Amino acid sequence: MDKRYELYCLTDPRFYDTPTSRTRMRDGFRQTRDPLPDPWFRQELGDWLVCRPTDVDLPPQGWKIHVSACPDNAQAILDAVGDYCVPRRIPFKFLPNVDVLFLANMKYAHRGSSGKFVTIYPRDEAQCERTLTELDAVLGGRPGPYILSDLRWGAGPLYVRYGAFDDRYCVSDAGVVEQAVEDPSGRLVPDVRGPTFRVPEWVRLPEFLEPHLAESRRTTVTDLPYRIEKALHFSNGGGLYAGVDTRDGQRVVLKEARPHAGLTPDGADAVTRLERERAALERLRGLPCVPALRDHFELGGHHFLVEDFIEGTPLHDLFVERSPLAALDPDPGAFAEYTSWALDIVRQVEDAVAAVHERGVVIGDVHTYNVLVRPDGGAVLIDFEGAADVERASHQVLAAPGFVAPSGATGFDIDRYALACLRLCLFMPLTGLIELDRGKAAQLAREAARLFPVPRPFLDEAVRTITGDGGTTARTITGATAGTTTGADAEPRLEPDHSGWLRARESIAGAVLAAATPERHDRLFPGDIEQFAFPGGGLDVAHGAAGVLYALDVTGAGRHPDHEEWLIRHALQSERGTHLGFYDGLHGIAYVLAHLGHHEEAVKILDMCQGERWDALALDLKGGLSGIGLTLLHFATTTGDSAYRDAAHRVADLVADRLGPADGVPETSGGTHPRAGLLYGSSGPALLFLRLYEQGGDPAHLELAATALRQDLRRCVVRAEGSMEVDEGYRTMPYLADGSVGIGMVLDDYLTHRADDGFATASAAIRRAAQANFYVEPGLFDGVAGMILHLSRAHPPGTAAARDPVIAGHVRRLARHACLLDGRLAFPGDQLMRLSMDLATGGAGVLLALGAAFHTRPTGLPFLTPDGAAHDLPFAIHTPERR
């Protein structure tokens, strides 16, 4: 699970949204409203409010002061900071209200920035020292979370680090755009905000900070009776470590809790939750189904709990490994064998929970990651930081996606709900959808009953618990028909024929358009959390408006001029730090605008990019040089402008220089890049060289394409059932973005130009990877829609599902993921926690994939559309003079 997503579920029950409220000025601290004296001004900057005098010039970088705070003392701390800084004309910024501060300190907030409430910008080191000294006399010792990226001054809540004052950006060694500081040579390098204090190698630590650095290093684990061997997990609340008790040699787990950090919605910090776990384990002492509590202590202000190490495997990993759902050719007996195992595990977990309930404890966070299965098959419950006495368990404090109880659930019913979800999850692991639509429980149960020999009452009881429906559940699960997309008891269904396609297109496009928010400036269509990861994320092809408008157009779902104008306006006024790449930035936006007929605006955006330092970007298609080169080559063809062709060839030369040999990996600006796949690996460069070969006929470009493809294939493995997938070391990936299917698309295009037995064998093995009966997510980049798109490319437009029963089956099975949004088909994004409308993860991507299977015109991704030259028609355009 990607824990980042939980923060983006707090704002909207249907869509991922920025965790900081857009109404943050309401009920804000008084400094959001009180007038400032001349010549001060106040302005919004992302989630912050900046206060600064107009006549004070600051350096672009330097030592800056951070102040932490708790929700209950934040106003008083901000008062003190304002009273100090304003008369001394020292600029500062702050989070505008308690809600935003709370979100910044939650359990899965970013550890590198958590705790920061106010940032103060001294003009120089002398003012920095004076400000720290004088403010410490006022604020010293007041409680606040430790800011991990900074050096603490005294007892806090003042902290200091060296970093950027201005918004300047550079390309990191990994080839991505990051905020930057300038080194002595004048080169911009990333301003690293990690979970430890660090000083750039060229910066000298000021003498006045040396005692505080020495103090920070005084706390060590040397004197503990435990030897820490490795970190297992980190959150903003602390770490989880595996170790050994040196007194008896027994393996242990140490759980760390940081005061005032890692907040949960009930307001509890990590220390409070650790105390809850300690109290619960004390109460459960002697039960074999829970870890034994050994010790608890405090070190350096952090609190620790020591428990016996449980030798076992998370239940989640076991059922992923054992379930025949995703197998290509499962033995019919495998479903019965798995059912027997799963029923036994559920029985053990339910018995363990019952034993805990007998002691009067509500666990509050039962899910597949919090159950360990011992080598002997026994189940053990772990992680009791959400536990409570049954008399005080009035609501759920913690919950994993797919196991979130209804808001009204209390006491033991919280755990009973989770156990009901567990019953469904082990047979149809899509229970994350239930929070979006409780009606999905019956649909998932019916799917499970169709595939597995599960006793009917086992599923009926689970669905009744989830839905609270005592009368219609059994009929819903066992009924002969699945329902339709209309009516009071509607259930999503997709039919793999032309009329089904027309209904699906109208429904999906209607849902996408109904979700549009043109009044917003950060995004037009709700999508993945990547929309909020960097400036301009809501505009791009992968997750923003450009990709949605492209998908609507190429699938015949219409043009939408108002939304196109929104994209043009925001792209031409894009924020600093907006990425430049094809799928994540301005080059892709330019491509889509030109595709939609906005040629002059597209050229303006391309010209905006020419002054940027894109040469250090990675080689990939998503945000790197391959996508930029393909865009420039496309514009060279459509405009006839030789400047674009020359620029495309310069990009291609850079890619060729850094590509490396077939048995190596391509270089980034700072080393090698090991990822594979269409968007992140060497298949992006291969696609660039293929299109160059098609336009110029230079065999060297075809050789380079082959070299790049062999690099990606070298990072693949053939599984036992004959499918080829990308090997990530701990898992294999078949998907379009970073798996084998994306590689297969470029391989197939290569094979139209030159026969290659090895490539042909790989292509066939990759097609097998696209034929499984189950994928966790529906999306284009990392789900079943990408499989539909890949398989459909082998057939003439409009015929894929009729010719290939695998494609028809994929289309029908999309109904497992589909939800009804005001009667229209909508699809969950990554992690299945909220709906998405974007191209990469949501409805627009599903629409594009279905279009590839059913639309009578060639439909697909840019640069990979069958008969893609049809889109490269020249257009007359006034090209602004270049300098």
Side-chain angles (χ1 to χ4, degrees):
M1 293 187 294
D2 188 337
K3 292 295 188 178
R4 296 178 305 157
Y5 281 78
E6 292 188 11
L7 283 174
Y8 292 85
C9 293
L10 299 174
T11 302
D12 190 309
R14 299 176 303 169
F15 304 115
Y16 294 122
D17 205 347
T18 176
T20 52
S21 171
R22 288 291 147 184
T23 59
R24 58 187 180 279
M25 298 305 297
R26 190 172 60 224
D27 300 323
F29 299 116
R30 67 175 61 95
Q31 285 77 8
T32 64
R33 305 178 299 273
D34 290 352
L36 288 167
D38 289 335
W40 283 76
F41 73 97
R42 181 169 47 219
Q43 70 177 112
E44 294 184 44
L45 182 66
D47 298 329
W48 300 82
L49 275 182
V50 178
C51 299
R52 63 178 299 175
T54 57
D55 58 351
V56 171
D57 293 325
L58 288 174
Q61 61 197 51
W63 291 97
K64 54 186 174 181
I65 299 167
H66 289 117
V67 190
S68 70
C70 300
D72 59 357
N73 68 3
Q75 181 65 74
I77 286 177
L78 184 56
D79 289 344
V81 171
D83 290 346
Y84 181 86
C85 289
V86 171
R88 292 166 179 82
R89 306 165 73 79
I90 303 174
F92 64 98
K93 69 178 182 182
F94 62 94
L95 296 177
N97 64 29
V98 170
D99 290 339
V100 179
L101 174 63
F102 187 90
L103 292 169
N105 290 320
M106 288 190 71
K107 183 177 180 181
Y108 289 106
H110 188 273
R111 296 170 67 227
S113 58
S114 177
K116 297 173 183 176
F117 170 47
V118 182
T119 306
I120 301 170
Y121 298 95
R123 288 187 291 274
D124 50 35
E125 290 185 8
Q127 190 175 63
C128 181
E129 179 182 11
R130 186 166 57 253
T131 301
L132 286 165
T133 302
E134 295 175 354
L135 264 181
D136 184 63
V138 179
L139 297 176
R142 296 198 191 186
Y146 198 107
I147 299 175
L148 296 174
S149 63
D150 288 26
L151 177 64
R152 184 167 67 178
W153 179 271
L158 302 175
Y159 296 78
V160 63
R161 71 178 289 267
Y162 187 94
F165 287 12
D166 285 353
D167 279 334
R168 297 189 291 177
Y169 295 87
C170 71
V171 179
S172 71
D173 287 348
V176 298
V177 178
E178 295 187 14
Q179 192 165 21
V181 291
E182 186 178 318
D183 70 12
S185 70
R187 184 171 64 102
L188 292 178
V189 297
D191 181 11
V192 179
R193 295 171 174 83
T196 57
F197 174 67
R198 65 181 294 275
V199 181
E201 59 183 17
W202 70 88
V203 174
R204 180 189 64 84
L205 185 76
E207 185 176 345
F208 66 87
L209 293 178
E210 290 177 359
H212 302 274
L213 180 61
E215 179 64 26
S216 72
R217 293 173 173 172
R218 286 184 59 185
T219 301
T220 70
V221 297
T222 306
D223 296 331
L224 290 178
Y226 307 104
R227 183 176 68 250
I228 296 175
E229 296 187 328
K230 66 177 180 178
L232 302 175
H233 172 70
F234 286 107
S235 75
N236 188 36
L240 183 69
Y241 309 92
V244 172
D245 189 328
T246 57
R247 296 166 295 190
D248 59 12
Q250 295 298 307
R251 299 178 70 189
V252 296
V253 169
L254 294 91
K255 301 190 73 169
E256 174 194 26
R258 302 199 302 120
H260 315 298
L263 305 179
T264 43
D266 62 343
D269 68 355
V271 174
T272 302
R273 293 195 306 279
L274 196 74
E275 175 58 25
R276 290 173 180 167
E277 178 154 9
R278 187 195 66 76
L281 291 180
E282 289 279 12
R283 197 164 176 176
L284 301 173
R285 191 179 293 276
L287 288 181
C289 59
V290 302
L293 176 65
R294 279 184 168 245
D295 193 6
H296 59 94
F297 61 89
E298 183 179 342
L299 180 67
H302 293 200
H303 295 244
F304 290 83
L305 209 60
V306 185
E307 304 170 10
D308 281 356
F309 183 89
I310 303 298
E311 188 71 45
T313 304
L315 177 56
H316 180 274
D317 295 349
L318 274 183
F319 88 73
V320 168
E321 175 187 322
R322 300 181 64 134
S323 175
L325 264 182
L328 292 177
D329 298 306
D331 186 310
F335 288 90
E337 180 182 348
Y338 175 83
T339 299
S340 177
W341 172 82
L343 290 175
D344 180 62
I345 286 294
V346 170
R347 177 191 57 78
Q348 290 192 55
V349 174
E350 291 179 345
D351 287 348
V353 172
V356 172
H357 286 181
E358 287 177 3
R359 301 276 181 103
V361 175
V362 175
I363 302 167
D365 194 21
V366 177
H367 57 84
T368 55
Y369 285 99
N370 280 352
V371 176
L372 295 182
V373 180
R374 297 181 186 269
D376 63 5
V380 178
L381 307 173
I382 62 170
D383 201 348
F384 284 79
E385 65 179 72
D389 182 277
V390 64
E391 299 298 328
R392 294 193 295 271
S394 59
H395 61 280
Q396 190 171 30
V397 175
L398 294 170
F403 296 84
V404 181
S407 58
T410 63
F412 294 145
D413 285 344
I414 295 171
D415 292 342
R416 294 186 184 115
Y417 183 92
L419 291 173
C421 291
L422 180 67
R423 288 189 177 194
L424 292 187
C425 181
L426 290 184
F427 295 100
M428 188 56 56
L430 299 174
T431 51
L433 302 175
I434 294 173
E435 190 177 357
L436 292 171
D437 178 4
R438 299 284 172 196
K440 294 297 287 187
Q443 182 185 358
L444 297 179
R446 180 169 37 255
E447 280 286 283
R450 185 176 64 83
L451 295 168
F452 295 90
V454 189
R456 186 170 297 169
F458 179 89
L459 297 176
D460 286 354
E461 183 181 348
V463 175
R464 281 193 293 269
T465 299
I466 292 169
T467 62
D469 185 345
T472 62
T473 301
R475 183 178 68 253
T476 304
I477 294 175
T478 59
T481 59
T484 66
T485 57
T486 59
D489 297 321
E491 181 176 300
R493 185 170 66 190
L494 291 96
E495 296 296 343
D497 54 32
H498 186 67
S499 60
W501 152 241
L502 295 179
R503 290 193 300 271
R505 181 175 67 181
E506 179 182 7
S507 185
I508 297 171
V512 169
L513 293 168
T517 54
E519 70 280 3
R520 291 179 61 154
H521 297 290
D522 56 340
R523 60 113 160 117
L524 177 58
F525 299 102
D528 191 72
I529 69 172
E530 288 297 314
Q531 292 184 326
F532 312 109
F534 53 85
L539 311 181
D540 63 32
V541 174
H543 302 295
V548 174
L549 295 175
Y550 172 84
L552 291 171
D553 180 61
V554 299
T555 58
R559 292 279 303 279
H560 306 280
D562 289 348
H563 295 331
E564 293 170 19
E565 287 301 319
W566 185 97
L567 177 60
I568 291 168
R569 183 170 68 256
H570 287 83
L572 290 174
Q573 300 172 358
S574 54
E575 301 175 65
R576 292 181 65 183
T578 299
H579 288 193
L580 303 175
F582 185 83
Y583 279 102
D584 71 352
L586 292 171
H587 279 82
I589 295 169
Y591 175 97
V592 169
L593 288 178
H595 168 85
L596 295 172
H598 303 287
H599 307 303
E600 292 197 18
E601 292 85 352
V603 168
K604 287 179 183 177
I605 292 170
L606 277 190
D607 285 350
M608 287 165 49
C609 297
Q610 295 309 300
E612 301 292 335
R613 289 196 56 190
W614 44 261
D615 54 312
L617 289 169
L619 307 189
D620 62 77
L621 178 60
K622 181 183 180 183
L625 294 177
S626 298
I628 290 174
L630 283 161
T631 305
L632 294 169
L633 189 65
H634 170 81
F635 274 81
T637 302
T638 55
T639 67
D641 189 334
S642 62
Y644 289 129
R645 191 172 307 279
D646 293 343
H649 280 270
R650 287 197 301 273
V651 172
D653 289 343
L654 279 173
V655 176
D657 289 344
R658 290 162 50 189
L659 185 65
D663 60 352
V665 292
E667 294 183 358
T668 66
S669 58
T672 58
H673 183 57
R675 295 187 72 175
L678 177 64
L679 263 67
Y680 301 99
S682 296
S683 294
L687 183 60
L688 171 62
F689 293 127
L690 269 182
R691 299 300 173 245
L692 284 165
Y693 170 75
E694 290 167 353
Q695 291 209 7
D698 185 347
H701 286 139
L702 199 57
E703 290 296 333
L704 285 165
T707 296
L709 285 167
R710 290 190 178 99
Q711 286 182 351
D712 263 5
L713 291 175
R714 195 176 67 86
R715 287 170 257 173
C716 294
V717 63
V718 178
R719 294 169 57 93
E721 67 268 31
S723 65
M724 177 177 280
E725 299 183 7
V726 170
D727 184 2
E728 293 191 339
Y730 66 102
R731 64 180 180 181
T732 61
M733 297 288 280
Y735 299 113
L736 185 150
D738 51 3
S740 57
V741 161
I743 301 170
M745 295 171 76
V746 185
L747 266 180
D748 291 345
D749 283 8
Y750 178 94
L751 290 168
T752 64
H753 299 291
R754 179 186 289 176
D756 185 299
D757 290 343
F759 283 1
T761 299
S763 173
I766 289 171
R767 287 185 68 81
R768 281 189 60 76
Q771 296 174 14
N773 290 313
F774 181 83
Y775 299 96
V776 174
E777 294 179 351
L780 185 67
F781 282 10
D782 292 294
V784 64
M787 309 305 167
I788 294 171
L789 176 64
H790 173 57
L791 295 173
S792 296
R793 297 178 82 240
H795 305 284
T799 68
R803 289 169 174 247
D804 188 339
V806 173
I807 296 174
H810 283 338
V811 172
R812 289 192 182 95
R813 287 188 290 272
L814 272 173
R816 294 172 176 170
H817 297 90
C819 298
L820 291 177
L821 182 63
D822 298 326
R824 304 182 182 97
L825 289 170
F827 293 87
D830 279 2
Q831 306 295 307
L832 306 182
M833 297 166 69
R834 292 293 185 269
L835 301 174
S836 170
M837 301 299 170
D838 68 30
L839 181 74
T841 70
V846 172
L847 183 64
L848 186 78
L850 294 175
F854 296 104
H855 196 31
T856 53
R857 295 182 58 186
T859 303
L861 289 171
F863 317 122
L864 281 163
T865 300
D867 191 24
H871 294 297
D872 289 342
L873 300 176
F875 54 80
I877 184 171
H878 168 68
T879 304
E881 181 181 353
R882 292 182 177 79
R883 299 180 181 177

